[in-house]
Amino acid sequence: MILRLCLLSVSILLASCTTYHVDFAKAEKALPVPPDKPTGPWKGRWVSQANGHHGVLWCVISPAEKDTYDFRYRAGWAKFQFGDYTHTCPVKTNDDGSRELESAMKLPGDWGTYTIKGTITPTEFDATYKSDTGDHGTMKLRRP
């Protein structure tokens, strides 16, 4: 019984990983060169300033409602990849065309609520994050 539950869990995990990477690859192919909007795929790293942990980070940004975008994240730590979280948040457009975001998202389970604050241009996505569980750090993403 335990083996079946483990196999089911691994199957679900792999399916979500595959779905995310398929969607990311589609977004990569559709990305104009040079990029002219914040939408589309991003790759980078996150670094915790609380404990030094770090890892890879992927994001696909899609328009939602007016001045609102969906940020679909997948992160990694060591050899693990985890999450497929969509964070919908308002984005303010500045006079220079850059966009600012500041919003909070409650992660599933006991991972806490994260607040993100950052700036996005068509080629750079830099942000800080802070968790109500004490973690805080930076995210730096660029176009693939």
Side-chain angles (χ1 to χ4, degrees), residues 104-115 130-134:
M105 171 188 179
K106 181 166 177 49
L107 295 180
D110 292 329
W111 292 102
T113 299
Y114 278 77
T115 303
K130 185 175 184 178
S131 167
D132 60 356
T133 60

Side-chain angles (χ1 to χ4, degrees), residues 45-55 77-78 129 134-138:
R45 300 197 60 75
W46 62 271
V47 177
S48 171
Q49 294 172 338
N51 57 28
H53 292 170
H54 56 87
W77 178 63
Y129 68 87
D135 190 19
H136 61 282
T138 60

Side-chain angles (χ1 to χ4, degrees), residues 16-37:
S16 73
C17 178
T18 303
T19 301
Y20 187 90
H21 289 296
V22 166
D23 293 344
F24 190 91
K26 285 180 187 174
E28 255 184 317
K29 287 181 184 176
L31 183 65
V33 178
D36 57 352
K37 299 179 218 177

Side-chain angles (χ1 to χ4, degrees), residues 14 23 38 51 69 84 99 124 133 135:
L14 290 175
D23 293 344
N51 57 28
Y69 290 85
D84 186 347
R99 291 169 171 89
E124 297 180 353
T133 60
D135 190 19

